Amino acid sequence: MNLKHCLVILGLTLLVVGSSPSWSPQTRLAMPSTAVKAAANQPNLYAQKDLVRVYNDLQKRSEHQLWLRRSALLGDVESAITLANLLPDESRAWLTHAADLGSTQARVELSYAQIDTPPNYTIASEAIANLTVPQRNQLAILAMSWDQQATAQHWRNIAPETTRWQNRIEVDDWFRAATNQCDRHLVLYTENPSSIPKLYDWLYQIKKQFTPSAGRLCVSKALPHQALSCSPVEGRAHCQHQSFEVENSTAVYVTERGRANTRNGVVFINDSTSWHVFIHELAHAWGLADEYRMHISVREPFCEGQFSFTAKNLVVSDSSLLTDSEYQNFLSTLPWREELTVEAASRVRIMGIDYWRLGSSSGDGIGLYPAATCEGTGVQAWKPLRAMTFMEQAEIGKIPTLYLEWMLEPNL
């Protein structure tokens, strides 16, 4: 193409542009003009974004989305994030596009949405300062779940200054504490990284329950997530138990599926449950039995003494009437005989013979009270407190100090 042809084309172009209203990136239009459309088609990003704004103001959905797409594909991060929020079915694709363009917000949101997958992006320390509080919350959770793979900073330095995060920092200090003098040691496994923040929240509540005796309870993390093989067994949470050598240790597996349960001193618990259920299962591992009517599959074996397990909070008797020698023998085997504050039985005379009728008449102290554990088996279960406790209804939250002390002591 010679110079003459170039001058002709240039002249025609100027004529077309000059025949329309003038436009520049500083011009804020109320209606789309020929000039701005021509610039947008060149393509000019400023013009495309102006069309995005104008069509949004005019509530012209199809045109608005068209120019959002074109400006996003031209490299505009804001348009890509808008599309991610506007189009749920395409959200991940547009977030990925924004993340590839370098958007810190998109990288955080995308990684958080796929939290159980190793992060594909690392957030630079200098970019963290520009994040909003919700984004810092997401990034802190990512850093906690993936041991800082999402960012070079520790999650403690990222987390918003909220009560919940302060509580998690307190638990993190607990993890870091010395573990050489522990009556109980929790070794914690998680099937999914997303369970870790929930586990911290549970542990904060557990620590509160055991205060001021919390120093006798130690906690530590165990294997990485990929090492676990978990699958429910008959509807109950279960993982292949890992071998470890930690004195006075109790393994806890936090799973994605299955009902909470404790088997042979190992706790399996679904991450969708609550800390109340967690401490209930820990109590099983540490020597306490259910005070509600047990499931038929375990009720008779337990109540007939077929399990190699002696509960600290329950005893059973074949009869509620005992002779003096039988009662003395019963007392000698009562786990809480040293803690009794009220009589465990009262004297009765039947047909000229003296007996002891089991059961405390006063409900204000540590004594002997009927439990529903063995209903329907022909034997009676007894507990030390009249009031309903967390071993009868986990969510009640009432955990007697006596029971907490028992949980820290060696199993019978």
Side-chain angles (χ1 to χ4, degrees):
M1 183 180 295
N2 57 35
L3 178 59
K4 181 179 179 180
H5 288 150
C6 289
L7 291 173
V8 171
I9 293 172
L10 177 60
L12 290 172
T13 303
L14 292 173
L15 180 62
V16 170
V17 174
S19 65
S20 302
S22 60
W23 174 86
S24 72
Q26 288 75 38
T27 304
R28 184 173 180 85
L29 303 174
M31 293 291 291
S33 67
T34 303
V36 73
K37 288 181 179 179
N41 282 313
Q42 285 180 1
N44 181 294
L45 181 58
Y46 292 107
Q48 289 182 355
K49 293 194 68 176
D50 211 9
L51 288 177
V52 166
R53 178 190 59 77
V54 171
Y55 284 124
N56 184 55
D57 290 345
L58 294 173
Q59 298 183 2
K60 292 191 174 183
R61 180 179 176 185
S62 59
E63 291 88 345
H64 177 237
Q65 291 185 13
L66 168 66
W67 289 105
L68 272 174
R69 292 176 187 276
R70 293 189 65 175
S71 58
L73 292 174
L74 199 58
D76 185 57
V77 169
E78 182 182 2
S79 295
I81 291 177
T82 300
L83 284 166
N85 295 328
L86 198 62
L87 305 173
D89 292 342
E90 301 177 30
S91 178
R92 181 162 297 180
W94 287 114
L95 272 181
T96 302
H97 182 63
D100 291 341
L101 290 173
S103 167
T104 300
Q105 174 188 344
R107 291 180 174 185
V108 171
E109 290 186 19
L110 187 64
S111 297
Y112 185 77
Q114 306 171 99
I115 192 170
D116 287 325
T117 302
N120 291 324
Y121 308 99
T122 300
I123 308 302
S125 298
E126 56 271 19
I128 296 174
N130 298 322
L131 295 175
T132 64
V133 170
Q135 291 161 4
R136 290 175 72 92
N137 183 72
Q138 291 180 338
L139 183 57
I141 289 175
L142 282 166
M144 173 188 282
S145 302
W146 285 100
D147 293 330
Q148 298 173 247
Q149 290 184 40
T151 174
Q153 290 199 32
H154 194 277
W155 62 263
R156 294 169 64 127
N157 300 324
I158 303 168
E161 293 182 1
T162 64
T163 299
R164 190 173 197 179
W165 279 107
Q166 289 301 314
N167 294 344
R168 289 170 175 172
I169 288 173
E170 186 175 323
V171 172
D172 193 54
D173 290 337
W174 193 16
F175 275 115
R176 299 172 184 224
T179 58
N180 53 355
Q181 291 186 348
C182 307
D183 293 324
R184 296 288 189 185
H185 191 136
L186 293 177
V187 183
L188 306 164
Y189 300 80
T190 54
E191 180 182 4
N192 294 322
S194 56
S195 300
I196 293 178
K198 183 72 172 286
L199 181 57
Y200 271 70
D201 295 340
W202 289 350
L203 289 171
Y204 175 75
Q205 296 296 335
I206 299 297
K207 188 173 186 292
K208 273 180 53 178
Q209 294 297 322
F210 281 99
T211 301
S213 301
R216 296 165 57 188
L217 176 61
C218 302
V219 290
S220 62
K221 301 174 190 175
L223 298 176
H225 325 291
Q226 296 89 339
L228 289 185
S229 174
C230 301
S231 181
V233 175
E234 297 180 351
R236 297 183 177 187
H238 181 71
C239 299
Q240 291 298 319
H241 181 42
Q242 311 294 321
S243 60
F244 54 89
E245 294 183 7
V246 179
E247 189 176 2
N248 301 323
S249 62
T250 300
V252 176
Y253 292 85
V254 184
T255 69
E256 181 180 0
R257 297 173 297 153
R259 298 190 307 274
N261 65 100
T262 300
R263 305 180 190 182
N264 300 319
V266 178
V267 174
F268 303 94
I269 187 164
N270 189 305
D271 65 4
S272 64
T273 188
S274 68
W275 72 266
H276 299 92
V277 176
F278 183 28
I279 199 169
H280 179 96
E281 294 302 328
L282 284 178
H284 284 318
W286 295 341
L288 303 187
D290 289 324
E291 294 175 355
Y292 58 79
R293 190 171 188 252
M294 286 184 173
H295 188 271
I296 186 64
S297 61
V298 294
R299 192 188 321 147
E300 289 191 3
F302 172 82
C303 297
E304 293 174 2
Q306 297 177 22
F307 290 164
S308 57
F309 170 77
T310 302
K312 299 173 182 178
N313 64 318
L314 282 180
V315 291
V316 298
S317 66
D318 294 327
S319 172
S320 59
L321 287 176
L322 303 179
T323 64
D324 190 68
S325 61
E326 289 172 338
Y327 178 58
Q328 296 306 318
N329 183 61
F330 176 86
L331 281 181
S332 69
T333 60
L334 188 67
W336 58 92
R337 59 188 176 277
E338 300 296 332
E339 288 87 3
L340 286 171
T341 59
V342 296
E343 289 290 341
S346 54
R347 284 187 174 276
V348 294
R349 190 173 183 83
I350 301 175
M351 298 181 67
I353 302 176
D354 290 329
Y355 292 94
W356 288 94
R357 187 187 299 278
L358 295 180
S360 298
S361 56
S362 171
D364 298 328
I366 301 172
L368 195 72
Y369 305 95
T373 308
C374 297
E375 284 182 357
T377 64
V379 299
Q380 177 62 55
W382 305 90
K383 59 181 184 174
L385 300 174
R386 184 188 297 277
M388 181 182 294
T389 75
F390 74 122
M391 295 311 295
E392 185 171 356
Q393 185 176 328
E395 297 293 343
I396 198 172
K398 182 177 177 57
I399 306 178
T401 302
L402 177 65
Y403 285 39
L404 292 171
E405 287 294 326
W406 282 342
M407 289 170 69
L408 292 175
E409 294 173 357
N411 289 0
L412 299 176

